[in-house]
Amino acid sequence: DAGADFIISQLFFETETFINFVKRCREIGINCPIIPGVLPIQSYASIRHLMKLSKLRLPEKMYKTLEAMKDDDDAIREFGIKYATDMCRELLDSK
């Protein structure tokens, strides 16, 4: 709590990562709101670029799913929206 009113986390693809981050913050006295960095995947190229820039690693199952549809951006976009929506539901249910 160095004067921040809220925190926005880095992008993540496993809800447990965010849940553990919030737990660790609370344990050390950080009590401001923490907003999850959820971003729906829009295309194969964009996620590859983002991974390269941020050193982000995808869960193995997600990586294999995306590899299988890498030439179909519409399918990837649909998958990305569903995955992000499911993550948001899990986060809300974890409260």
Side-chain angles (χ1 to χ4, degrees):
D1 280 315
D5 293 322
F6 62 92
I7 297 168
I8 301 174
S9 80
Q10 182 174 346
L11 180 64
F12 60 91
F13 290 107
E14 294 177 292
T15 55
E16 199 61 36
T17 300
F18 179 78
I19 292 167
N20 288 335
F21 172 71
V22 172
K23 181 180 175 187
R24 288 191 314 272
C25 287
R26 300 303 183 231
E27 287 171 354
I28 62 170
I30 298 172
N31 294 308
C32 64
I34 303 175
I35 301 167
V38 176
L39 176 71
I41 297 168
Q42 296 296 307
S43 71
Y44 186 78
S46 68
I47 194 62
R48 296 287 297 185
H49 182 69
L50 192 57
M51 288 170 53
K52 190 176 187 179
L53 288 176
S54 68
K55 309 267 192 269
L56 180 69
R57 294 183 54 87
L58 296 177
E60 186 66 25
K61 184 177 179 181
M62 177 187 250
Y63 179 78
K64 288 179 179 179
T65 299
L66 292 172
E67 277 294 309
M69 60 176 76
K70 68 182 177 183
D71 296 322
D72 186 348
D73 279 346
D74 288 337
I76 288 179
R77 192 172 299 107
E78 186 176 319
F79 170 82
I81 291 168
K82 182 178 180 341
Y83 196 91
T85 302
D86 290 348
M87 279 185 19
C88 290
R89 282 191 187 112
E90 283 182 42
L91 291 172
L92 290 169
D93 290 346
S94 73
K95 295 265 176 194

